[in-house]
Amino acid sequence: MTLKLLVLLLDLAGTFVFALSGATAAVRRRLDLFGVLVLAFVAANSGGILRDVLIGAVPPASIRDWRYLGVSVLAGLVTFRWAPSIERLKNPVRLFDAAGLAMFAVVGANKALEHGLEPPMAALLGMLSGIGGGIVRDVLLREVPLVLRAELYAVAALAGALVVVTGEWLAWPTTATMCGGALLCFGLRMAAIRRGWRLPVAPAGDAPRDDRPDARPRDPEA
């Protein structure tokens, strides 16, 4: 398998699972078919579009290549039709989100390196491309983005991206480092969910709280 084909497959696979996470969240909020498809596309492609715009790969692949739209719509339709079956999975939104995060983080870092970015910035861009879709999804659903309140979300994406850029610096095989980075990101994210690992949270202090029910951030896993 060529590196170009591997990157494309990881990108499309990440698009599909991120679309599943967006569509699942939309179904839980009782959106109609159009809303489910919009959330599927937004969650699946926002990070990739942001990545491509920042590295100058325009028009972005998600807009230029029909396969990204097709994969997103397919995931949305599958979720809309078989939502009860998908819900039987344990924490489906987080599971799909972790898989998409892992694939987008390593693909984003690899594409950034191909476009001449320095390794530290390539790692940050890999992280950003991984978390971008989830941020837009949560904002559209009027929720505090998962990346700002979840267990080791952006940190997991950064760890996976760092494996890719470190492998490039040490001249390791790119295919191996991308697969290793994706596995590290996914494993770290799932372990953090199961064990509750998270970054420190500042004490609330005496700041006034808004206790209205509609003012509290909603958890997509609730």
Side-chain angles (χ1 to χ4, degrees), residues 84-105:
S85 299
I86 292 176
E87 285 290 353
R88 293 192 185 100
L89 297 173
K90 187 176 181 180
N91 294 333
V93 173
R94 289 190 177 183
L95 176 64
F96 298 141
D97 198 74
L101 182 73
M103 286 181 265
F104 269 32

Side-chain angles (χ1 to χ4, degrees), residues 18 97-107 178 181-183 185-186:
F18 257 143
D97 198 74
L101 182 73
M103 286 181 265
F104 269 32
V106 297
V107 169
M178 290 184 68
L183 288 174
C185 177
F186 182 78

Side-chain angles (χ1 to χ4, degrees), residues 41-192:
F41 182 82
V42 165
N45 294 283
S46 296
I49 290 173
L50 179 61
R51 171 198 68 207
D52 290 350
V53 169
L54 290 176
I55 63 178
V58 292
S62 300
I63 299 174
R64 185 178 67 250
D65 190 335
W66 66 268
R67 289 174 290 190
Y68 291 87
L69 174 62
V71 164
S72 302
V73 170
L74 175 62
L77 292 175
V78 167
T79 305
F80 188 83
R81 175 62 180 83
W82 289 287
S85 299
I86 292 176
E87 285 290 353
R88 293 192 185 100
L89 297 173
K90 187 176 181 180
N91 294 333
V93 173
R94 289 190 177 183
L95 176 64
F96 298 141
D97 198 74
L101 182 73
M103 286 181 265
F104 269 32
V106 297
V107 169
N110 177 261
K111 283 196 171 185
L113 290 171
E114 287 182 347
H115 282 75
L117 269 69
E118 294 295 324
M121 301 311 299
L124 290 175
L125 189 61
M127 178 191 72
L128 187 60
S129 63
I131 67 178
I135 291 176
V136 178
R137 175 199 66 207
D138 293 345
V139 168
L140 288 178
L141 292 175
R142 296 195 302 172
E143 297 168 355
V144 178
L146 196 63
V147 66
L148 301 180
R149 57 189 169 86
E151 304 88 348
L152 300 187
Y153 191 85
V155 171
L158 182 60
L162 283 172
V163 172
V164 175
V165 300
T166 301
E168 177 73 13
W169 181 53
L170 297 175
W172 291 345
T174 304
T175 301
T177 57
M178 290 184 68
C179 292
L183 288 174
L184 174 62
C185 177
F186 182 78
L188 184 59
R189 177 73 184 117
M190 294 307 296

